[in-house]
């Protein structure tokens, strides 16, 4: 493989200006490359599986803008639908049939969504879902898992202490301790930590919120029976179970994690794919809980641009096109090809302890310095991020783009081809073999 050195001159120049106007030069922290080192790449456009930066470098995209672009960049069906809508109106601040049409499509894919509401970001969706759960149960506390990300609302910016299940300490400045006094944390995949938290606070736990497949701490799968266990404990305690499917919704399977694992939560949150790349998100589920929301209930929640027409059209055309393309089958075939590559090409060629590959549906993740799939945040944090960072830059040099952090997952889009996966894996093999 040739070791080219890309020119990032223009990206560097733009980032210098950006640092003057944005904290860290970015509008969302992980984009800053703090984690992997180096300067962020400044992009100009995308097309199908490819991304192009302002220096003219071309990449195969495994980031999918963190998930929404499951059909790749600028899919004609999505672009055309949006262009048509652009001529009509980009916002009403009043009802349009586009909202109802997308909600009904969501119900087709996930029949458990009896009622829902559109918002503009995943952060709003999780915040509002917890509010609905608190209103419905008249309880205050909720449980989240260490390493799960649910957006940046104050109450979620908590990580666990070293105890099994403990009252949280805030992990962000600017979050008053009062705001998080009702946030309880538990350890992912640990039934014991859930039992402990319920034995201490069971009567006052409004909700348990979980990423049923955790994709914000690398990729951590629920161990068999764990989601069923959560379903039972929450039911027994009158607690609402929330699946945060902002990342997994419309991607893990047609019906998301609920369908894949055959466990029905009471509430769901969605984002990313649901807006087809335009800001949109949603929360929904059982009718009796959603009826707590204003104007029919007393739990207030609103949004100037909620149900935005452009986003509704982008989301609807994305889901429709996925149906047309039989996207899930296509993505699973690519995933299986990647599994085989790893088993046949990568793992036999290198020392066993050096790499662990995890994949589910169109999510994948390589952990380095371990050969065991991590089952919670602590185990993810113990993997070798230095090696990830080295491989990350080798990927870039060979025209492969992933989210710039070892705590992020790789995403397959329907535009990815087998040769792209060959390159992805070959670079890892080459780098690990030259690893000292
Ligand atoms: C991305 C994400 C969020 C936050 O969504 P934003 O639109 O970035 O606010 C919440 N939960 C999960 C699981 C996510 O992956």
């Amino acid at each position: 493989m040739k070791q080219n050195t890309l020119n990032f001159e223009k990206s560097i120049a733009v980032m210098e200006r950006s640092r003057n106007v944005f904290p860290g030069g970015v509008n969302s922290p992980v984009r800053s490359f703090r984690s992997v080192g180096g300067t962020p790449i400044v992009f100009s456009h995308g097309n199908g599986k490819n991304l192009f930066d302002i220096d003219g470098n071309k990449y195969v995209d495994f980031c999918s803008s963190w998930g929404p672009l499951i059909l790749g960049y600028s899919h004609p069906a999505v672009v055309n639908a949006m262009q048509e809508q652009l001529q009509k109106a980009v916002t009403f601040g009043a009802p349009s049939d586009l909202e109802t049409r997308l909600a009904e499509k969501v119900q087709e894919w996930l029949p458990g969504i009896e009622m829902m509401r559109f918002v503009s970001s995943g952060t709003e969706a999780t915040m509002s879902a917890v509010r609905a759960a608190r209103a419905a149960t008249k309880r205050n506390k909720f449980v989240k898992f260490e390493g799960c990300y649910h957006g940046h609302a104050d109450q979620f910016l908590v990580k666990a202490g070293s105890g099994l299940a403990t009252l949280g300490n805030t992990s962000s400045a600017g979050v008053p301790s009062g705001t998080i006094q009702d946030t309880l944390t538990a350890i992912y995949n640990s039934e014991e930590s859930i039992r402990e938290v319920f034995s201490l606070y069971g009567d006052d736990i409004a909700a348990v919120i979980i990423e049923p497949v955790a994709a914000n701490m690398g990729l951590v799968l629920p161990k068999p029976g764990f989601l069923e266990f959560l379903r039972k404990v929450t039911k027994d305690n009158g607690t609402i179970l929330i699946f945060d499917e902002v990342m997994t919704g419309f991607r893990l399977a047609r019906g998301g994690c609920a369908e894949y694992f055959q466990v029905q939560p009471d509430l769901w949150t969605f984002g990313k794919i649901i807006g087809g790349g335009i800001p949109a998100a949603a929360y929904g589920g059982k009718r009796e809980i959603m009826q707590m929301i204003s104007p029919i209930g007393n739990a207030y929640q609103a949004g100037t641009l909620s149900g935005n027409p452009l986003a509704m059209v982008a989301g609807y055309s994305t889901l429709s096109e996925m149906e047309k393309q039989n996207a899930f089958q296509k993505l699973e075939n690519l995933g299986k090809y990647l599994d085989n590559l790893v088993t046949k090409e990568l793992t036999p060629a290198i020392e066993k302890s050096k790499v662990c590959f995890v994949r589910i549906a169109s999510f994948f993740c390589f952990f380095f310095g371990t050969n065991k799939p991590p089952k919670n945040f602590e185990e993810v944090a113990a993997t070798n991020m230095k090696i990830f960072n080295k491989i990350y830059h080798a990927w870039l040099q060979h025209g492969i783009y992933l989210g710039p952090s070892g705590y992020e997952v790789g995403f397959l889009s329907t535009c990815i081809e087998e040769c792209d996966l060959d390159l992805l894996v070959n670079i890892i093999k080459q780098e690990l073999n030259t690893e000292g």
Side-chain angles (χ1 to χ4, degrees):
M1 245 178 299
K2 73 179 195 311
Q3 191 66 51
N4 41 345
T5 308
L6 300 186
N7 184 358
F8 296 124
E9 206 176 301
K10 289 183 179 160
S11 279
I12 292 168
V14 168
M15 285 312 298
E16 248 160 53
R17 284 166 43 223
S18 305
R19 285 196 188 94
N20 215 15
V21 284
F22 308 124
V26 292
N27 288 299
S28 198
V30 74
R31 299 178 193 174
S32 70
F33 272 48
R34 277 274 164 118
S35 179
V36 292
T39 311
I41 295 166
V42 178
F43 290 105
S44 81
H45 63 287
N47 183 12
K49 67 178 186 180
N50 288 125
L51 259 174
F52 300 83
D53 71 17
I54 58 172
D55 286 287
N57 302 308
K58 179 180 171 182
Y59 308 86
V60 175
D61 174 48
F62 288 103
C63 178
S64 286
S65 185
W66 308 103
L69 302 182
I70 193 162
L71 300 171
Y73 275 83
S74 311
H75 191 284
V78 181
V79 171
N80 291 340
M82 281 171 62
Q83 259 164 356
E84 211 172 285
Q85 187 56 39
L86 263 177
Q87 309 294 327
K88 294 182 186 166
V90 293
T91 177
F92 297 114
S96 77
D97 188 35
L98 304 169
E99 301 158 84
T100 314
R101 185 181 69 155
L102 178 55
E104 286 168 353
K105 174 71 78 188
V106 169
Q107 282 181 326
E108 248 177 73
W109 284 31
L110 292 106
I113 309 289
E114 294 168 358
M115 203 175 238
M116 61 187 284
R117 178 161 278 174
F118 284 113
V119 290
S120 299
S121 69
T123 294
E124 281 178 81
T126 55
M127 197 177 85
S128 308
V130 168
R131 185 177 301 151
R134 283 170 160 162
T137 56
K138 300 191 168 62
R139 298 174 178 181
N140 292 324
K141 297 194 187 301
F142 75 94
V143 180
K144 79 171 284 285
F145 292 88
E146 189 178 354
C148 282
Y149 182 65
H150 303 294
H152 67 88
D154 282 359
Q155 62 192 1
F156 294 112
L157 294 180
V158 174
K159 65 183 176 197
S162 50
L164 263 187
T166 117
L167 279 173
N169 298 312
T170 167
S171 55
S172 166
V175 175
S177 56
T179 319
I180 55 155
Q181 69 183 14
D182 290 319
T183 304
L184 304 161
T185 55
I187 295 168
Y188 204 88
N189 275 328
S190 165
E191 294 175 359
E192 197 185 338
S193 81
I194 283 293
R195 271 194 213 101
E196 183 173 330
V197 86
F198 270 90
S199 77
L200 288 171
Y201 304 105
D203 295 345
D204 196 27
I205 301 178
V208 170
I209 186 167
I210 186 168
E211 286 183 74
V213 163
N216 283 288
M217 49 168 156
L219 186 57
V220 177
L221 308 185
K223 68 177 190 188
F226 186 63
L227 297 174
E228 288 86 342
F229 168 81
L230 285 184
R231 179 64 283 183
K232 181 170 189 321
V233 172
T234 47
K235 196 166 185 199
D236 290 349
N237 284 276
T239 296
I240 287 166
L241 180 60
I242 306 173
F243 276 3
D244 181 353
E245 296 220 48
V246 168
M247 189 98 93
T248 53
F250 317 104
R251 182 178 278 277
L252 198 83
R254 201 174 131 100
C257 291
E259 177 192 296
Y260 191 98
F261 297 106
Q262 289 294 303
V263 175
Q264 291 280 309
D266 304 299
L267 289 180
W268 281 259
T269 56
F270 303 109
K272 300 188 170 111
I273 288 177
I274 207 174
I278 307 292
Y283 65 105
K286 285 198 177 138
R287 189 176 301 277
E288 78 229 40
I289 305 171
M290 290 306 290
Q291 279 173 337
M292 306 308 294
I293 299 299
S294 54
I296 51 175
N298 295 325
Y300 191 72
Q301 186 272 308
T304 303
L305 297 179
S306 293
N308 176 263
L310 208 53
M312 296 297 105
V313 161
Y316 184 84
S317 54
T318 298
L319 297 187
S320 304
E321 184 60 28
M322 285 175 74
E323 286 175 332
K324 214 187 271 172
Q325 286 191 18
N326 201 0
F328 291 107
Q329 191 55 54
K330 208 172 190 172
L331 292 164
E332 185 58 27
N333 292 345
L334 280 170
K336 288 226 168 78
Y337 182 84
L338 182 55
D339 294 348
N340 279 332
L341 263 183
V342 170
T343 325
K344 292 208 176 101
E345 298 289 329
L346 184 63
T347 37
I350 54 171
E351 220 179 286
K352 247 204 151 70
S353 61
K354 280 188 172 174
V355 67
C356 169
F357 172 70
V358 181
R359 178 189 73 90
I360 186 166
S362 52
F363 294 101
F364 67 87
C365 187
F366 292 93
F367 292 104
F368 299 101
T370 181
N371 63 354
K372 270 207 335 243
K375 53 183 191 306
N376 57 42
F377 181 73
E378 200 178 59
E379 292 182 9
V380 172
T383 67
N384 194 327
M385 293 295 170
K386 271 221 300 266
I387 299 180
F388 176 86
N389 294 348
K390 181 172 172 253
I391 287 169
Y392 185 81
H393 286 283
W395 276 333
L396 281 188
Q397 286 297 325
H398 290 93
I400 290 206
Y401 185 78
L402 280 94
S405 161
Y407 287 94
E408 305 294 349
V409 285
F411 297 89
L412 299 175
S413 77
T414 53
C415 296
I416 293 296
E417 295 172 277
E418 292 178 353
C419 59
D420 306 318
L421 300 172
D422 293 341
L423 183 60
L424 178 87
V425 169
N426 269 330
I427 292 164
I428 300 174
K429 189 165 143 188
Q430 178 183 291
E431 290 297 311
L432 286 182
N433 278 328
T434 57
E435 178 68 24

